Amino acid sequence: MKEYSIGQMSRHTGVKATTIRYYENRGLIPSPARTRGGQRRYDEAALERLAFLRHARELGFGLDDIADLMALAEAPSEDCEPAHEIARKQLAAVDRRLTILAQLREELVRMADADDPGHAGKCRVIEVLGDHRLCIGAHDLPDDASQML
Amino acid sequence: MKEYSIGQMSRHTGVKATTIRYYENRGLIPSPARTRGGQRRYDEAALERLAFLRHARELGFGLDDIADLMALAEAPSEDCEPAHEIARKQLAAVDRRLTILAQLREELVRMADADDPGHAGKCRVIEVLGDHRLCIGAHDLPDDASQML
DNA sequence: CTTGAACCTACAGTCGCTGTAGATCGTATC
DNA sequence: GATACGATCTACAGCGACTGTAGGTTCAAG
């Protein structure tokens, strides 16, 4: 039965050691066995859980959602609807972010491409940022837009 | 000469009162005049600065970049190259985020849309999250990817 | 003059980590 | 066995950009 130090876990999954300890604190992964000296020793199952966790994080799931998903994975009922629900929620969030970013890109392109280098008159970047009416579209954001950027 | 309370500023720009005070603390907007009772009273210029600030935030600029932009806007030299530089930097960042989100969306769609509701065996969502090999492409993220999501 | 919404300060909490300090542990080499 | 040195340990502070709370004060309308 293979054993892994926290550093080996880190190398296998790409999750930093400090982050692994943070996940343990948060209760997302169980406390592993320890050596006599107090260092963590993980088994294969722990490695898989961490890989799952990392993958879900890459996909933008929040830690609370991931906790739910892991609970579902550990005790699989025949109803996987809750898991799909979480995934759909995440997809919707990603779609919102994509929409905003696309609009944002449009405007940045207009700003960055304004080719009047060193010109004495107006600078487009500052002009565009200063006057909202010059925007292509109303890119009004929902109240919590900052989280999406 | 019109005067605005912090609440009116908030309504005009969509920036919450607490956030306006936070910006003031951070030195992004100057301390406004006060009534005898100590409440903030803003003028037209302050409103414009706040609109500029909000707009830049919507576009994904960090507060430090915005501070730079505002300095440029207040004392505009004929050389607006620095402002263009900031805009280009932001554009590149936005493009990175768009790329990542698009990949991410692909995978979420595959997960969430898998229509085997109530299937006895494995749940597709959990299955995909657990096994990285089921991914379309290697969607490995740069080290600081979390900031981009 | 009274009511009640708006405003004030100060500070803790959010999310998902990251970085630090200072101590201890484990293993390879002599 | 001794030594060296990297890996690991705990505990806690800090990041960005806010948000929320408590407990008090002020303003404007009726």
Side-chain angles (χ1 to χ4, degrees):
Chain A
M1 195 166 80
K2 265 181 234 163
E3 283 197 334
Y4 305 93
S5 71
I6 198 167
Q8 289 170 323
M9 291 285 278
S10 176
R11 256 162 269 130
H12 279 306
T13 60
V15 179
K16 289 186 184 168
T18 47
T19 306
I20 296 172
R21 285 191 282 261
Y22 169 72
Y23 287 159
E24 185 183 328
N25 267 342
R26 284 282 309 255
L28 284 161
I29 53 178
S31 305
R34 302 276 189 144
T35 61
R36 263 157 299 165
Q39 299 196 357
R40 291 167 179 80
R41 286 300 115 101
Y42 297 91
D43 60 10
E44 215 74 38
L47 185 56
E48 274 167 40
R49 265 190 295 265
L50 187 55
F52 181 105
L53 179 36
R54 197 228 165 169
H55 195 181
R57 277 299 295 139
E58 281 175 355
L59 291 176
F61 290 93
L63 294 185
D64 286 348
D65 280 344
I66 292 173
D68 291 347
L69 284 169
M70 289 180 100
L72 290 168
E74 302 285 301
S77 71
E78 49 264 38
D79 182 18
C80 66
E81 187 44 33
H84 276 261
E85 175 68 24
I86 292 171
R88 273 197 302 273
K89 213 180 67 190
Q90 185 59 23
L91 179 56
V94 166
D95 278 343
R96 279 197 302 277
R97 277 182 273 182
L98 275 169
T99 303
I100 289 164
L101 279 172
Q103 285 175 4
L104 197 156
R105 206 198 105 89
E106 276 304 297
E107 200 166 339
L108 282 170
V109 165
R110 286 199 309 126
M111 279 172 33
D113 279 2
D115 49 357
D116 50 357
H119 190 272
K122 287 290 175 76
C123 175
R124 288 286 291 165
V125 174
I126 285 163
E127 195 182 338
V128 168
L129 282 175
D131 190 351
H132 208 158
R133 288 165 305 180
L134 292 175
C135 294
I136 289 174
H139 56 175
D140 292 319
L141 303 181
D143 283 350
D144 59 345
S146 57
Q147 301 168 8
M148 306 178 183
L149 300 173
Chain B
M1 195 166 80
K2 266 181 235 166
E3 284 197 332
Y4 305 93
S5 72
I6 198 169
Q8 289 171 323
M9 290 286 277
S10 176
R11 256 161 269 131
H12 278 306
T13 61
V15 179
K16 288 186 185 168
T18 47
T19 306
I20 296 173
R21 285 190 282 261
Y22 168 73
Y23 288 158
E24 185 183 328
N25 267 343
R26 285 282 309 254
L28 285 160
I29 54 177
S31 305
R34 302 276 187 142
T35 61
R36 264 156 297 164
Q39 300 197 358
R40 291 167 178 80
R41 286 301 115 101
Y42 298 91
D43 60 11
E44 215 75 39
L47 184 56
E48 275 168 37
R49 265 189 297 265
L50 186 56
F52 181 104
L53 178 37
R54 195 228 166 169
H55 197 179
R57 277 298 296 139
E58 282 175 355
L59 291 174
F61 291 93
L63 292 185
D64 287 348
D65 281 345
I66 292 172
D68 291 348
L69 282 170
M70 289 181 101
L72 291 169
E74 301 285 301
S77 70
E78 47 266 36
D79 183 18
C80 66
E81 191 38 38
H84 277 264
E85 174 70 24
I86 292 172
R88 272 196 302 272
K89 213 181 68 190
Q90 290 299 322
L91 179 57
V94 165
D95 279 342
R96 280 197 301 277
R97 277 183 274 183
L98 274 169
T99 305
I100 289 165
L101 278 173
Q103 284 175 8
L104 202 156
R105 204 199 107 90
E106 273 304 295
E107 199 166 341
L108 283 171
V109 165
R110 287 197 314 122
M111 275 173 40
D113 281 1
D115 47 0
D116 50 356
H119 190 274
K122 280 285 175 84
C123 172
R124 179 89 184 133
V125 172
I126 285 164
E127 201 179 335
V128 169
L129 283 174
D131 192 347
H132 209 165
R133 288 166 303 182
L134 295 174
C135 297
I136 289 175
H139 57 172
D140 292 320
L141 304 180
D143 282 349
D144 60 346
S146 54
Q147 299 169 9
M148 304 180 184
L149 300 173

